[in-house]
Amino acid sequence: MGSVCIEIIEGNPHLRSLLGWHLQQLEYRVHQAASIYQAREVFLSHQPTLVILDADLPDGDGIEFCRWLHRQQQPLILMLSARNSEADIVAGLKAGADDYLSKPFGMQEFLARVEALIRRKRTPTAPAYLDYGTLQIDLVQRRVRFQGEFIDLTPQEFSLLYVLAQAGGVPLSRSELLRRAWPDAIDNPRTIDTHVLSLRKKVELDPRQPNLIQTIRNVGYRFNMEILNTNISQSQTTKLARERFNNQRSTLSSSV
């Protein structure tokens, strides 16, 4: 079982440590997180097969984070919660949880549920399509649809956008973006700035005042996931299309 990676996201340090110890005795690789912020970092770094998620976390809603997890590499999710009403269980399962275990629970039952979930997914498969609301990324055809329009991206712009979006709003440094999005080793982190500038011209309503790909001072860049959940009006979409047309026309005129 050493090849199976499990992430435990639990606000109670004693329970988190206890669960981790028992799983390690079964030779699972275990990574732990005490908050949603830590949980995102651990998930993106280790891509676990199974996520054990506390529904009541100190810095956010476990149900909402479950939805985020479900949109990623679609890991198995075992939700733990002190809430045991039928409505709470249904809400957890609809958010993407594969199983729901009410607290308090016995350790043997917990381990049996973990093993049952692992049997479902012996060989994880990569997703073919990612849906972030107003942004859809087709990983097979390498196409991007944003706010109802297909965006013409270069291969490198596509990879950069995918890595930023997959981070789920977590800021990524330039060196981290180079490591994840570039096929070859590059020593110049400023390469990221050039490609971000080009990408912003294609996906931002106003590239001079970007609100989708945000600059995080002294860190790097982050993808503003919140804006993807905002309903874009028809007038805004039309304006975006007009801006792109005018930008393309200006580029053609200047090159003549």
Side-chain angles (χ1 to χ4, degrees):
M1 295 180 185
S3 62
V4 176
C5 178
I6 297 178
E7 178 181 4
I8 302 174
I9 308 167
E10 169 60 54
N12 184 322
H14 301 293
L15 179 57
R16 186 173 67 247
S17 178
L18 181 63
L19 297 179
W21 185 85
H22 278 280
L23 290 172
Q24 287 172 339
Q25 299 313 299
L26 295 176
E27 298 185 354
Y28 291 112
R29 291 186 293 114
V30 177
H31 300 277
Q32 301 182 18
S35 65
I36 287 178
Y37 179 79
Q38 292 179 355
R40 288 182 189 271
E41 292 286 341
V42 171
F43 180 84
L44 293 170
S45 298
H46 300 284
Q47 297 292 310
T49 300
L50 171 65
V51 176
I52 298 165
L53 172 63
D54 181 11
D56 305 293
L57 292 165
D59 63 338
D61 182 5
I63 294 289
E64 186 59 37
F65 187 66
C66 183
R67 294 191 183 97
W68 180 84
L69 282 171
H70 189 64
R71 292 195 300 264
Q72 306 308 306
Q73 301 289 343
Q74 295 188 348
L76 295 165
I77 303 170
L78 171 58
M79 183 168 285
L80 310 179
S81 178
R83 307 174 190 177
N84 57 9
S85 71
E86 181 180 10
D88 291 322
I89 295 173
V90 169
L93 295 175
K94 284 188 174 181
D98 297 279
D99 198 359
Y100 191 104
L101 185 57
S102 299
K103 299 177 182 178
F105 51 81
M107 188 57 63
Q108 293 306 310
E109 179 184 6
F110 166 76
L111 294 175
R113 287 177 183 258
V114 167
E115 291 176 4
L117 286 171
I118 294 297
R119 284 197 298 269
R120 294 188 194 177
K121 193 174 184 180
R122 290 297 182 185
T123 53
T125 57
Y129 188 85
L130 299 179
D131 189 345
Y132 298 96
T134 55
L135 173 70
Q136 294 90 40
I137 301 178
D138 186 334
L139 299 178
V140 176
Q141 299 187 34
R142 294 182 66 83
R143 295 199 306 171
V144 172
R145 187 183 180 97
F146 181 55
Q147 294 179 358
E149 294 184 344
F150 284 107
I151 308 299
D152 185 18
L153 301 179
T154 66
Q156 194 55 65
E157 289 169 349
F158 177 91
S159 297
L160 179 60
L161 179 64
Y162 166 66
V163 170
L164 283 166
Q166 192 186 39
V170 175
L172 298 176
S173 67
R174 291 175 176 84
S175 59
E176 181 68 11
L177 287 168
L178 281 175
R179 185 180 69 82
R180 295 190 191 184
W182 261 252
D184 303 314
I186 297 178
D187 295 330
N188 184 7
R190 292 300 170 182
T191 300
I192 295 293
D193 299 335
T194 302
H195 283 81
V196 166
L197 180 63
S198 175
L199 191 55
R200 280 172 169 168
K201 292 178 180 179
K202 297 181 178 182
V203 300
E204 296 281 4
L205 189 63
D206 184 354
R208 295 165 298 182
Q209 297 180 328
N211 57 13
L212 181 61
I213 302 174
Q214 298 177 325
T215 301
I216 306 301
R217 189 174 181 180
N218 298 325
V219 178
Y221 297 97
R222 75 177 288 269
F223 204 76
N224 184 7
M225 302 300 294
E226 293 79 10
I227 199 173
L228 298 179
N229 299 320
T230 303
N231 292 326
I232 306 298
S233 68
Q234 183 63 39
S235 61
Q236 287 176 300
T237 303
T238 303
K239 181 180 178 182
L240 179 61
R242 189 183 303 117
E243 289 281 349
R244 290 187 184 131
F245 175 77
N246 289 337
N247 289 339
Q248 291 172 355
R249 185 172 61 181
S250 298
T251 302
L252 289 172
S253 298
S254 61
S255 62
V256 174

